[in-house]
């Protein structure tokens, strides 16, 4: 898992640079989260269900971040109220 985790790199930077599309971003982000969680579980002597963990992280990674939500809210306010006031 450590090798796989190191191969993923930084999905956020790759997405911001336009190297990967949205679908690939979600998949890489989900794998990074799942592998990190699995490594922590193994360190605690637990054996995680990796496929279930990966599916859970895919769902989490596909949700908008707090920054994206805030930006969308600000954009909406500026559009409805007006930004020149």
């Amino acid at each position: 898992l450590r090798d796989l985790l190191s191969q993923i790199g930084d999905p956020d930077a790759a997405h911001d640079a336009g190297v990967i599309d949205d679908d690939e971003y979600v998949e890489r982000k989900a794998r990074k989260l799942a592998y990190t969680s699995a490594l922590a579980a193994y360190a605690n002597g637990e054996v995680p269900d990796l496929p279930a963990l990966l599916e859970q992280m895919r769902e989490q990674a596909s949700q908008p971040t707090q920054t994206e939500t805030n930006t969308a809210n600000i954009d909406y306010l500026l559009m409805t109220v007006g930004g020149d006031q």
Side-chain angles (χ1 to χ4, degrees), residues 1-9 31-32 35-36 39:
L1 284 176
R2 289 183 206 287
D3 289 338
L4 291 173
L5 190 57
S6 69
Q7 291 173 13
I8 292 172
R31 287 184 182 275
K32 185 172 185 173
Y35 296 164
T36 302
L39 285 171

Side-chain angles (χ1 to χ4, degrees), residues 73-85:
N73 289 341
I74 291 168
D75 289 345
Y76 178 76
L77 275 172
L78 289 174
M79 182 179 67
T80 56
V81 176
D84 296 329
Q85 296 178 359

Side-chain angles (χ1 to χ4, degrees), residues 5-6 8 11 17 19-20 25-27 32-33 35 49 53 56 58-60 63 71-72 79:
L5 190 57
S6 69
I8 292 172
V19 176
I20 58 175
Y25 168 74
V26 168
E27 184 62 26
K32 185 172 185 173
L33 291 169
Y35 296 164
D49 179 2
L53 186 58
Q56 178 185 358
R58 279 186 185 117
E59 187 175 315
Q60 181 179 335
Q63 299 298 317
T71 301
M79 182 179 67

